[in-house]
Coordinates of all heavy atoms in Angstrom, one line a residue:
M611 N 99.9 80.0 -79.0 CA 100.7 79.5 -77.9 C 99.9 79.4 -76.6 O 99.0 80.3 -76.4 CB 102.0 80.3 -77.8 CG 102.9 79.9 -76.7 SD 104.1 78.6 -76.7 CE 104.4 78.0 -78.3
H612 N 100.2 78.5 -75.8 CA 99.5 78.4 -74.5 C 99.8 79.5 -73.5 O 100.9 80.0 -73.5 CB 99.7 77.0 -73.8 CG 99.3 75.9 -74.7 ND1 98.0 75.6 -74.9 CD2 100.0 74.9 -75.3 CE1 97.9 74.5 -75.6 NE2 99.1 74.1 -75.9
S613 N 98.9 79.8 -72.7 CA 99.2 80.8 -71.6 C 100.1 80.2 -70.6 O 100.1 79.0 -70.4 CB 97.9 81.3 -71.0 OG 97.3 80.3 -70.2
P614 N 100.8 81.0 -69.8 CA 101.6 80.5 -68.7 C 100.8 79.6 -67.7 O 101.3 78.7 -67.2 CB 102.2 81.7 -68.1 CG 102.1 82.8 -69.1 CD 100.9 82.5 -69.9
D615 N 99.5 80.0 -67.5 CA 98.7 79.3 -66.6 C 98.5 77.8 -67.1 O 98.7 76.9 -66.4 CB 97.3 79.9 -66.4 CG 97.4 81.3 -65.7 OD1 98.4 81.5 -65.0 OD2 96.4 82.0 -65.8
A616 N 98.2 77.7 -68.4 CA 97.9 76.4 -69.0 C 99.2 75.6 -69.0 O 99.2 74.4 -68.7 CB 97.4 76.6 -70.4
Q617 N 100.3 76.2 -69.3 CA 101.6 75.5 -69.3 C 102.0 75.0 -67.9 O 102.4 73.9 -67.8 CB 102.7 76.4 -69.8 CG 102.6 76.7 -71.3 CD 103.7 77.7 -71.7 OE1 104.3 78.5 -70.9 NE2 104.0 77.8 -73.0
T618 N 101.7 75.8 -66.9 CA 102.0 75.4 -65.5 C 101.2 74.2 -65.1 O 101.6 73.2 -64.5 CB 101.9 76.6 -64.5 OG1 102.8 77.6 -64.9 CG2 102.1 76.1 -63.1
L619 N 99.9 74.3 -65.4 CA 99.0 73.2 -65.1 C 99.3 71.9 -65.9 O 99.3 70.8 -65.3 CB 97.5 73.6 -65.4 CG 96.9 74.6 -64.5 CD1 95.6 75.2 -65.0 CD2 96.8 74.1 -63.1
Q620 N 99.7 72.0 -67.1 CA 100.1 70.9 -67.9 C 101.4 70.3 -67.3 O 101.5 69.0 -67.2 CB 100.3 71.2 -69.4 CG 100.5 70.0 -70.3 CD 99.3 69.0 -70.1 OE1 98.2 69.3 -70.3 NE2 99.6 67.8 -69.8
T621 N 102.3 71.1 -67.0 CA 103.6 70.6 -66.3 C 103.3 69.9 -65.0 O 103.8 68.8 -64.8 CB 104.6 71.8 -66.1 OG1 104.8 72.4 -67.3 CG2 105.8 71.3 -65.5
A622 N 102.4 70.4 -64.2 CA 102.0 69.8 -63.0 C 101.3 68.4 -63.3 O 101.6 67.4 -62.6 CB 101.0 70.7 -62.2
L623 N 100.4 68.4 -64.2 CA 99.8 67.1 -64.6 C 100.8 66.1 -65.1 O 100.7 64.9 -64.8 CB 98.7 67.3 -65.6 CG 97.4 68.0 -65.1 CD1 96.5 68.3 -66.2 CD2 96.8 67.2 -64.0
N624 N 101.8 66.5 -65.9 CA 102.8 65.7 -66.4 C 103.6 65.1 -65.3 O 103.9 63.9 -65.3 CB 103.7 66.4 -67.4 CG 103.0 66.7 -68.7 OD1 102.0 66.2 -69.0 ND2 103.6 67.7 -69.4
Y625 N 103.9 65.9 -64.3 CA 104.7 65.4 -63.1 C 103.8 64.4 -62.4 O 104.3 63.3 -62.0 CB 105.1 66.6 -62.2 CG 105.7 66.1 -60.9 CD1 106.8 65.2 -61.0 CD2 105.2 66.5 -59.7 CE1 107.4 64.8 -59.8 CE2 105.8 66.0 -58.5 CZ 106.9 65.2 -58.6 OH 107.4 64.7 -57.4
L626 N 102.6 64.7 -62.1 CA 101.7 63.8 -61.4 C 101.6 62.4 -62.2 O 101.7 61.4 -61.6 CB 100.3 64.4 -61.3 CG 99.3 63.5 -60.6 CD1 99.7 63.0 -59.2 CD2 97.9 64.2 -60.5
A627 N 101.5 62.5 -63.5 CA 101.5 61.3 -64.3 C 102.8 60.5 -64.1 O 102.7 59.2 -64.0 CB 101.3 61.7 -65.8
Q628 N 103.9 61.1 -64.1 CA 105.2 60.4 -63.8 C 105.2 59.7 -62.5 O 105.6 58.5 -62.3 CB 106.4 61.3 -63.9 CG 106.7 61.9 -65.2 CD 107.8 62.9 -65.2 OE1 108.3 63.3 -64.1 NE2 108.1 63.5 -66.3
V629 N 104.7 60.4 -61.5 CA 104.6 59.8 -60.1 C 103.6 58.6 -60.1 O 103.9 57.6 -59.5 CB 104.3 60.9 -59.1 CG1 104.0 60.3 -57.7 CG2 105.4 61.9 -59.0
I630 N 102.5 58.8 -60.7 CA 101.5 57.7 -60.7 C 102.0 56.5 -61.4 O 101.9 55.4 -61.0 CB 100.2 58.2 -61.3 CG1 99.5 59.2 -60.4 CG2 99.2 57.0 -61.6 CD1 98.3 59.9 -60.9
Q631 N 102.7 56.7 -62.6 CA 103.2 55.6 -63.3 C 104.3 54.9 -62.5 O 104.4 53.7 -62.5 CB 103.8 56.1 -64.7 CG 104.3 55.0 -65.6 CD 103.1 54.1 -65.9 OE1 102.0 54.5 -66.3 NE2 103.4 52.8 -65.8
W632 N 105.2 55.7 -61.9 CA 106.2 55.1 -61.0 C 105.6 54.3 -59.9 O 106.0 53.2 -59.6 CB 107.1 56.3 -60.4 CG 108.0 55.8 -59.3 CD1 109.2 55.2 -59.4 CD2 107.7 56.0 -57.9 NE1 109.7 55.0 -58.1 CE2 108.8 55.5 -57.2 CE3 106.7 56.6 -57.2 CZ2 108.9 55.5 -55.8 CZ3 106.7 56.6 -55.8 CH2 107.8 56.0 -55.1
R633 N 104.6 54.8 -59.2 CA 104.0 54.1 -58.1 C 103.2 52.9 -58.6 O 103.3 51.8 -57.9 CB 103.0 55.1 -57.4 CG 102.4 54.5 -56.2 CD 103.5 54.2 -55.1 NE 103.0 53.5 -54.0 CZ 103.2 52.2 -53.8 NH1 103.9 51.4 -54.6 NH2 102.6 51.6 -52.7
M634 N 102.5 52.9 -59.7 CA 101.8 51.7 -60.2 C 102.8 50.7 -60.6 O 102.6 49.5 -60.4 CB 100.9 52.1 -61.3 CG 99.8 53.1 -60.7 SD 98.2 53.1 -61.3 CE 97.6 51.6 -61.8
T635 N 103.9 51.1 -61.3 CA 104.9 50.1 -61.7 C 105.6 49.5 -60.5 O 105.8 48.3 -60.5 CB 106.0 50.9 -62.6 OG1 105.4 51.4 -63.7 CG2 107.1 49.9 -63.0
T636 N 105.8 50.3 -59.5 CA 106.4 49.8 -58.2 C 105.5 48.8 -57.6 O 105.9 47.7 -57.1 CB 106.7 50.9 -57.2 OG1 107.6 51.8 -57.9 CG2 107.3 50.4 -56.0
Y637 N 104.2 49.1 -57.5 CA 103.3 48.2 -56.8 C 103.0 46.9 -57.6 O 103.0 45.9 -57.0 CB 101.9 49.0 -56.7 CG 100.9 48.1 -55.9 CD1 101.0 48.1 -54.5 CD2 99.9 47.4 -56.6 CE1 100.0 47.3 -53.8 CE2 99.0 46.7 -55.9 CZ 99.1 46.6 -54.5 OH 98.2 45.9 -53.8
F638 N 102.9 47.0 -58.9 CA 102.6 45.8 -59.7 C 103.8 45.0 -60.2 O 103.6 44.0 -60.9 CB 101.7 46.2 -60.9 CG 100.3 46.6 -60.5 CD1 99.9 47.9 -60.6 CD2 99.4 45.6 -59.9 CE1 98.6 48.2 -60.2 CE2 98.2 46.0 -59.6 CZ 97.7 47.3 -59.7
S639 N 105.0 45.4 -59.8 CA 106.2 44.6 -60.2 C 107.1 44.5 -59.0 O 107.1 45.4 -58.1 CB 106.9 45.2 -61.3 OG 107.4 46.5 -61.0
D640 N 107.9 43.5 -58.9 CA 108.9 43.3 -57.9 C 108.3 43.3 -56.5 O 108.9 43.6 -55.5 CB 110.0 44.5 -57.9 CG 110.7 44.5 -59.2 OD1 110.9 43.4 -59.8 OD2 111.2 45.5 -59.6
N641 N 107.1 42.9 -56.4 CA 106.4 42.8 -55.1 C 106.5 44.1 -54.3 O 106.6 44.1 -53.1 CB 106.9 41.7 -54.2 CG 106.7 40.3 -54.9 OD1 105.6 40.1 -55.5 ND2 107.6 39.4 -54.8
G642 N 106.4 45.2 -55.0 CA 106.5 46.5 -54.3 C 107.8 47.0 -53.9 O 108.0 48.0 -53.2
K643 N 108.9 46.3 -54.3 CA 110.2 46.7 -54.0 C 110.9 47.3 -55.2 O 111.5 46.6 -56.0 CB 111.0 45.4 -53.5 CG 110.5 44.8 -52.3 CD 111.2 43.5 -52.0 CE 110.6 42.8 -50.8 NZ 111.2 41.5 -50.5
S644 N 110.8 48.6 -55.2 CA 111.4 49.3 -56.3 C 112.8 49.9 -55.9 O 112.9 50.4 -54.8 CB 110.5 50.5 -56.8 OG 111.1 51.2 -57.8
R645 N 113.7 49.9 -56.8 CA 115.0 50.5 -56.6 C 115.0 52.0 -57.1 O 115.9 52.7 -56.8 CB 116.1 49.7 -57.2 CG 116.2 48.4 -56.5 CD 117.4 47.6 -57.1 NE 117.5 46.3 -56.4 CZ 117.1 45.1 -56.9 NH1 116.6 45.1 -58.1 NH2 117.2 44.0 -56.2
D646 N 114.0 52.3 -57.9 CA 114.0 53.6 -58.5 C 113.4 54.6 -57.5 O 112.3 54.3 -56.9 CB 113.2 53.7 -59.8 CG 113.8 52.8 -60.9 OD1 115.0 52.7 -60.9 OD2 113.0 52.2 -61.7
P647 N 114.0 55.8 -57.3 CA 113.4 56.8 -56.5 C 112.2 57.4 -57.1 O 112.0 57.4 -58.3 CB 114.5 57.8 -56.3 CG 115.4 57.7 -57.5 CD 115.3 56.2 -57.9
M648 N 111.4 58.1 -56.3 CA 110.2 58.8 -56.8 C 110.7 59.9 -57.8 O 111.7 60.6 -57.4 CB 109.4 59.4 -55.7 CG 108.1 60.0 -56.2 SD 107.1 60.6 -54.8 CE 107.7 62.3 -54.6
P649 N 110.0 60.1 -58.9 CA 110.5 61.2 -59.8 C 110.4 62.5 -59.1 O 109.5 62.7 -58.2 CB 109.4 61.1 -60.9 CG 108.8 59.8 -60.8 CD 108.9 59.3 -59.4
S650 N 111.2 63.4 -59.5 CA 111.2 64.8 -58.9 C 110.6 65.7 -60.0 O 110.7 65.5 -61.2 CB 112.7 65.2 -58.7 OG 113.3 64.4 -57.7
P651 N 110.0 66.8 -59.5 CA 109.4 67.7 -60.4 C 110.6 68.4 -61.2 O 111.7 68.5 -60.7 CB 108.7 68.7 -59.6 CG 109.2 68.5 -58.2 CD 109.8 67.2 -58.1
S652 N 110.2 68.9 -62.4 CA 111.2 69.5 -63.2 C 111.7 70.8 -62.5 O 111.0 71.4 -61.7 CB 110.7 69.9 -64.6 OG 109.6 70.8 -64.5
N653 N 113.0 71.2 -62.7 CA 113.6 72.2 -62.0 C 112.9 73.6 -62.1 O 112.7 74.3 -61.1 CB 115.0 72.4 -62.5 CG 115.9 71.3 -62.1 OD1 115.6 70.6 -61.1 ND2 117.0 71.0 -62.8
G654 N 112.4 74.0 -63.2 CA 111.8 75.3 -63.4 C 110.3 75.4 -63.4 O 109.7 76.4 -63.8
W655 N 109.6 74.3 -62.9 CA 108.2 74.3 -63.1 C 107.5 75.4 -62.2 O 106.4 75.8 -62.5 CB 107.6 72.9 -62.9 CG 107.1 72.5 -61.6 CD1 107.8 72.0 -60.6 CD2 105.7 72.6 -61.1 NE1 107.0 71.7 -59.5 CE2 105.7 72.1 -59.8 CE3 104.6 73.1 -61.7 CZ2 104.6 72.1 -59.1 CZ3 103.4 73.0 -60.9 CH2 103.4 72.5 -59.6
L656 N 108.1 75.8 -61.2 CA 107.5 76.8 -60.3 C 108.1 78.2 -60.6 O 107.8 79.2 -59.9 CB 107.8 76.5 -58.8 CG 107.1 75.3 -58.3 CD1 107.5 75.0 -56.9 CD2 105.6 75.4 -58.4
S657 N 108.8 78.4 -61.7 CA 109.5 79.7 -62.0 C 108.5 80.7 -62.6 O 108.7 81.9 -62.4 CB 110.6 79.4 -63.0 OG 110.2 78.9 -64.2
Q658 N 107.5 80.3 -63.3 CA 106.5 81.3 -63.9 C 105.5 81.7 -62.8 O 105.1 80.9 -62.0 CB 105.8 80.7 -65.1 CG 106.7 80.4 -66.2 CD 106.0 80.4 -67.5 OE1 104.9 80.9 -67.6 NE2 106.5 79.7 -68.5
E659 N 105.2 83.0 -62.8 CA 104.2 83.5 -61.9 C 102.8 83.2 -62.4 O 102.3 83.9 -63.3 CB 104.4 85.0 -61.6 CG 103.6 85.6 -60.6 CD 103.8 85.0 -59.2 OE1 104.9 84.6 -58.9 OE2 102.8 84.9 -58.4
T660 N 102.2 82.2 -61.8 CA 100.8 81.9 -62.1 C 100.0 81.7 -60.8 O 100.7 81.6 -59.7 CB 100.7 80.6 -62.9 OG1 101.2 79.5 -62.1 CG2 101.5 80.6 -64.2
P661 N 98.7 81.7 -60.8 CA 98.0 81.5 -59.6 C 98.4 80.2 -58.8 O 98.5 80.2 -57.6 CB 96.5 81.4 -60.0 CG 96.5 82.2 -61.3 CD 97.8 82.0 -61.9
L662 N 98.7 79.1 -59.6 CA 99.1 77.9 -58.9 C 100.4 78.0 -58.3 O 100.6 77.7 -57.1 CB 99.1 76.7 -60.0 CG 99.6 75.4 -59.4 CD1 98.7 74.9 -58.3 CD2 99.7 74.4 -60.6
T663 N 101.4 78.5 -59.0 CA 102.8 78.7 -58.4 C 102.7 79.7 -57.3 O 103.5 79.6 -56.3 CB 103.8 79.1 -59.5 OG1 103.4 80.3 -60.1 CG2 103.9 78.0 -60.5
H664 N 101.9 80.7 -57.4 CA 101.8 81.7 -56.3 C 101.2 81.0 -55.0 O 101.7 81.3 -53.9 CB 100.9 82.9 -56.7 CG 100.7 83.9 -55.7 ND1 101.7 84.8 -55.3 CD2 99.6 84.1 -54.8 CE1 101.2 85.6 -54.3 NE2 100.0 85.2 -54.0
F665 N 100.2 80.2 -55.2 CA 99.6 79.5 -54.1 C 100.6 78.6 -53.4 O 100.8 78.5 -52.2 CB 98.4 78.7 -54.5 CG 97.7 77.9 -53.4 CD1 96.7 78.6 -52.6 CD2 98.0 76.6 -53.1 CE1 96.1 77.9 -51.6 CE2 97.4 75.9 -52.1 CZ 96.5 76.6 -51.3
I666 N 101.4 77.8 -54.2 CA 102.4 76.9 -53.7 C 103.5 77.7 -53.0 O 103.9 77.2 -51.9 CB 103.0 76.0 -54.9 CG1 101.9 75.1 -55.4 CG2 104.2 75.3 -54.4 CD1 102.3 74.3 -56.7
G667 N 103.9 78.8 -53.6 CA 105.0 79.6 -52.9 C 104.5 80.2 -51.6 O 105.2 80.2 -50.6
T668 N 103.3 80.8 -51.7 CA 102.7 81.5 -50.5 C 102.6 80.5 -49.3 O 102.9 80.9 -48.2 CB 101.4 82.1 -50.8 OG1 101.6 83.1 -51.9 CG2 100.8 82.8 -49.6
H669 N 102.1 79.3 -49.6 CA 101.8 78.4 -48.5 C 103.0 77.4 -48.3 O 102.9 76.5 -47.5 CB 100.6 77.6 -48.8 CG 99.4 78.5 -48.9 ND1 98.8 79.0 -47.7 CD2 98.7 79.0 -49.9 CE1 97.8 79.8 -48.0 NE2 97.7 79.8 -49.4
Q670 N 104.1 77.6 -49.0 CA 105.3 76.8 -48.9 C 105.0 75.3 -48.9 O 105.5 74.6 -48.0 CB 106.1 77.3 -47.7 CG 106.5 78.7 -47.7 CD 107.2 79.1 -46.4 OE1 107.3 78.4 -45.4 NE2 107.6 80.4 -46.4
L671 N 104.3 74.9 -49.9 CA 104.0 73.5 -50.0 C 105.2 72.6 -50.4 O 105.9 73.0 -51.3 CB 102.9 73.3 -51.1 CG 101.6 74.0 -50.9 CD1 100.6 73.6 -52.0 CD2 101.0 73.8 -49.5
D672 N 105.4 71.5 -49.7 CA 106.4 70.6 -50.0 C 105.9 69.7 -51.2 O 104.8 69.8 -51.6 CB 106.9 69.8 -48.8 CG 105.9 68.9 -48.2 OD1 104.9 68.6 -48.9 OD2 106.0 68.5 -47.1
T673 N 106.8 68.8 -51.6 CA 106.4 68.0 -52.8 C 105.2 67.1 -52.5 O 104.3 67.0 -53.4 CB 107.6 67.0 -53.1 OG1 108.8 67.8 -53.4 CG2 107.3 66.2 -54.4
S674 N 105.0 66.5 -51.4 CA 103.8 65.8 -51.0 C 102.6 66.6 -51.1 O 101.5 66.2 -51.6 CB 104.0 65.1 -49.7 OG 105.0 64.2 -49.6
E675 N 102.7 67.8 -50.5 CA 101.5 68.7 -50.5 C 101.2 69.2 -51.9 O 100.0 69.3 -52.3 CB 101.8 69.9 -49.6 CG 101.9 69.4 -48.1 CD 102.5 70.5 -47.2 OE1 103.3 71.3 -47.7 OE2 102.2 70.5 -46.0
Q676 N 102.2 69.4 -52.7 CA 102.0 69.8 -54.1 C 101.3 68.7 -54.9 O 100.3 69.0 -55.6 CB 103.3 70.1 -54.8 CG 104.0 71.4 -54.3 CD 105.4 71.6 -54.9 OE1 105.7 71.1 -56.0 NE2 106.3 72.2 -54.2
L677 N 101.7 67.5 -54.7 CA 101.1 66.3 -55.3 C 99.6 66.2 -54.9 O 98.7 65.9 -55.7 CB 101.8 65.0 -55.1 CG 103.1 64.9 -55.8 CD1 103.9 63.7 -55.3 CD2 102.9 64.7 -57.3
T678 N 99.4 66.4 -53.6 CA 98.0 66.3 -53.1 C 97.1 67.4 -53.8 O 96.0 67.1 -54.2 CB 98.0 66.5 -51.6 OG1 98.8 65.5 -51.0 CG2 96.5 66.4 -51.1
L679 N 97.6 68.6 -53.9 CA 96.9 69.6 -54.6 C 96.6 69.3 -56.1 O 95.5 69.4 -56.6 CB 97.7 70.9 -54.5 CG 97.1 72.1 -55.2 CD1 95.7 72.5 -54.7 CD2 98.0 73.3 -55.1
I680 N 97.6 68.8 -56.7 CA 97.5 68.4 -58.2 C 96.5 67.2 -58.3 O 95.7 67.2 -59.3 CB 98.9 68.1 -58.8 CG1 99.8 69.3 -58.7 CG2 98.7 67.7 -60.3 CD1 101.2 69.0 -59.0
I681 N 96.6 66.3 -57.4 CA 95.6 65.2 -57.4 C 94.2 65.7 -57.3 O 93.3 65.2 -58.0 CB 95.9 64.2 -56.3 CG1 97.2 63.4 -56.6 CG2 94.7 63.2 -56.0 CD1 97.7 62.5 -55.5
A682 N 94.0 66.7 -56.5 CA 92.6 67.3 -56.3 C 92.2 68.1 -57.6 O 91.0 68.1 -57.9 CB 92.6 68.2 -55.1
L683 N 93.1 68.7 -58.3 CA 92.8 69.5 -59.5 C 92.6 68.6 -60.7 O 91.9 69.0 -61.6 CB 93.9 70.5 -59.7 CG 94.1 71.6 -58.7 CD1 95.3 72.5 -59.0 CD2 92.8 72.5 -58.7
A684 N 93.3 67.5 -60.8 CA 93.4 66.7 -62.0 C 92.0 66.3 -62.6 O 91.8 66.5 -63.8 CB 94.2 65.4 -61.8
P685 N 91.1 65.8 -61.8 CA 89.8 65.5 -62.4 C 89.0 66.6 -63.0 O 88.2 66.5 -63.9 CB 89.0 64.8 -61.3 CG 90.0 64.5 -60.2 CD 91.1 65.5 -60.4
H686 N 89.3 67.8 -62.5 CA 88.6 69.0 -63.0 C 89.3 69.5 -64.3 O 88.6 70.2 -65.1 CB 88.6 70.1 -62.0 CG 88.0 69.7 -60.7 ND1 86.6 69.7 -60.5 CD2 88.5 69.3 -59.5 CE1 86.3 69.3 -59.3 NE2 87.5 69.0 -58.7
L687 N 90.5 69.2 -64.5 CA 91.3 69.7 -65.6 C 91.2 68.6 -66.8 O 91.1 69.0 -67.9 CB 92.7 69.9 -65.3 CG 93.0 71.0 -64.2 CD1 94.4 71.0 -63.8 CD2 92.6 72.3 -64.8
Q688 N 91.3 67.3 -66.4 CA 91.2 66.2 -67.4 C 90.4 65.1 -66.7 O 90.9 64.3 -66.0 CB 92.6 65.7 -67.7 CG 93.4 66.7 -68.5 CD 94.8 66.2 -68.8 OE1 95.2 65.0 -68.5 NE2 95.6 67.0 -69.5
P689 N 89.1 65.1 -67.0 CA 88.2 64.1 -66.3 C 88.7 62.6 -66.4 O 88.4 61.9 -65.5 CB 86.9 64.3 -67.0 CG 86.9 65.7 -67.4 CD 88.3 66.0 -67.8
D690 N 89.4 62.3 -67.5 CA 89.8 60.9 -67.6 C 91.2 60.7 -67.2 O 91.8 59.6 -67.4 CB 89.7 60.5 -69.1 CG 90.6 61.2 -70.0 OD1 91.0 62.3 -69.7 OD2 91.0 60.6 -71.1
F691 N 91.8 61.6 -66.5 CA 93.2 61.6 -66.1 C 93.6 60.2 -65.3 O 94.5 59.5 -65.7 CB 93.6 62.8 -65.2 CG 95.0 62.8 -64.8 CD1 95.9 63.4 -65.7 CD2 95.5 62.3 -63.6 CE1 97.3 63.4 -65.4 CE2 96.8 62.4 -63.3 CZ 97.7 62.9 -64.2
F692 N 92.8 59.9 -64.3 CA 93.1 58.7 -63.5 C 92.7 57.4 -64.3 O 93.4 56.4 -64.1 CB 92.5 58.8 -62.1 CG 93.1 59.9 -61.3 CD1 92.4 61.0 -61.0 CD2 94.4 59.8 -60.8 CE1 92.9 62.1 -60.3 CE2 94.9 60.8 -60.1 CZ 94.2 61.9 -59.8
D693 N 91.7 57.5 -65.0 CA 91.2 56.3 -65.8 C 92.3 55.8 -66.7 O 92.4 54.6 -66.8 CB 90.0 56.6 -66.6 CG 88.7 57.0 -65.7 OD1 88.7 56.5 -64.6 OD2 87.8 57.6 -66.3
R694 N 93.0 56.6 -67.3 CA 94.1 56.2 -68.2 C 95.1 55.3 -67.5 O 95.6 54.3 -68.1 CB 94.8 57.4 -68.9 CG 93.9 58.1 -69.9 CD 94.6 59.2 -70.5 NE 94.5 60.4 -69.6 CZ 95.3 61.4 -69.6 NH1 96.3 61.4 -70.4 NH2 95.1 62.4 -68.7
F695 N 95.5 55.7 -66.3 CA 96.5 54.9 -65.6 C 95.9 53.6 -65.1 O 96.6 52.5 -65.1 CB 97.1 55.7 -64.4 CG 97.8 56.9 -64.9 CD1 97.2 58.1 -64.8 CD2 99.0 56.8 -65.5 CE1 97.9 59.2 -65.2 CE2 99.7 57.9 -65.9 CZ 99.1 59.1 -65.8
I696 N 94.7 53.6 -64.6 CA 94.0 52.4 -64.1 C 93.8 51.4 -65.2 O 94.1 50.2 -65.1 CB 92.7 52.8 -63.4 CG1 93.0 53.6 -62.2 CG2 91.9 51.5 -63.1 CD1 91.8 54.3 -61.5
T697 N 93.3 51.8 -66.4 CA 93.1 50.9 -67.5 C 94.4 50.4 -68.1 O 94.4 49.3 -68.6 CB 92.2 51.5 -68.6 OG1 92.8 52.7 -69.1 CG2 90.8 51.8 -68.1
T698 N 95.5 51.1 -67.9 CA 96.7 50.6 -68.4 C 97.2 49.4 -67.6 O 97.7 48.4 -68.1 CB 97.8 51.7 -68.4 OG1 97.4 52.8 -69.2 CG2 99.1 51.2 -68.9
Q699 N 97.1 49.5 -66.3 CA 97.6 48.5 -65.3 C 96.5 47.4 -65.1 O 96.9 46.3 -64.8 CB 97.9 49.2 -64.0 CG 99.2 50.1 -64.1 CD 100.4 49.3 -64.4 OE1 100.6 48.1 -64.1 NE2 101.3 50.0 -65.1
L700 N 95.3 47.8 -65.1 CA 94.2 46.8 -64.9 C 93.2 46.8 -66.0 O 92.1 47.3 -65.9 CB 93.5 47.2 -63.6 CG 94.4 47.3 -62.3 CD1 93.6 47.9 -61.2 CD2 95.0 46.0 -61.9
P701 N 93.6 46.2 -67.1 CA 92.7 46.2 -68.3 C 91.4 45.5 -68.1 O 90.7 45.0 -67.7 CB 93.5 45.5 -69.4 CG 94.7 45.0 -68.8 CD 94.8 45.4 -67.4

């Protein structure tokens, strides 16, 4: 089984993936006019005590700041993370 650290990081990456997919879909369809709201993080993703959740809690990061942090971490955790979305939308 995965450690709580790995689970938290994977949950964060999954959330970032949802936001990127939402944003790219919004941008490339309907001339940027989406009626769907930005996805929200899952309710319990900050419930486990890990270094990432501790940092977010200590610094009281809002959703935008959490996404910025995850964007910075993503290439170090999964080097092809952004490539997958870009190639899906711009083959």
Side-chain angles (χ1 to χ4, degrees):
M611 180 78 17
H612 297 292
S613 73
D615 294 340
Q617 289 175 340
T618 300
L619 289 169
Q620 189 58 55
T621 301
L623 289 174
N624 290 343
Y625 174 55
L626 178 59
Q628 291 173 357
V629 171
I630 291 171
Q631 187 60 47
W632 167 79
R633 186 63 187 105
M634 298 213 32
T635 300
T636 300
Y637 183 80
F638 288 110
S639 65
D640 298 332
N641 296 325
K643 298 176 185 174
S644 176
R645 294 184 179 105
D646 296 330
M648 184 175 91
S650 299
S652 62
N653 291 333
W655 94 273
L656 293 175
S657 62
Q658 294 204 21
E659 185 61 33
T660 65
L662 178 61
T663 60
H664 179 74
F665 181 87
I666 290 170
T668 300
H669 297 284
Q670 301 177 355
L671 302 183
D672 64 20
T673 302
S674 298
E675 293 165 333
Q676 291 174 30
L677 285 169
T678 303
L679 176 61
I680 299 165
I681 288 168
L683 292 173
H686 301 283
L687 300 170
Q688 293 179 3
D690 67 334
F691 184 82
F692 294 108
D693 293 338
R694 288 181 278 154
F695 297 103
I696 293 168
T697 57
T698 301
Q699 293 293 330
L700 304 170

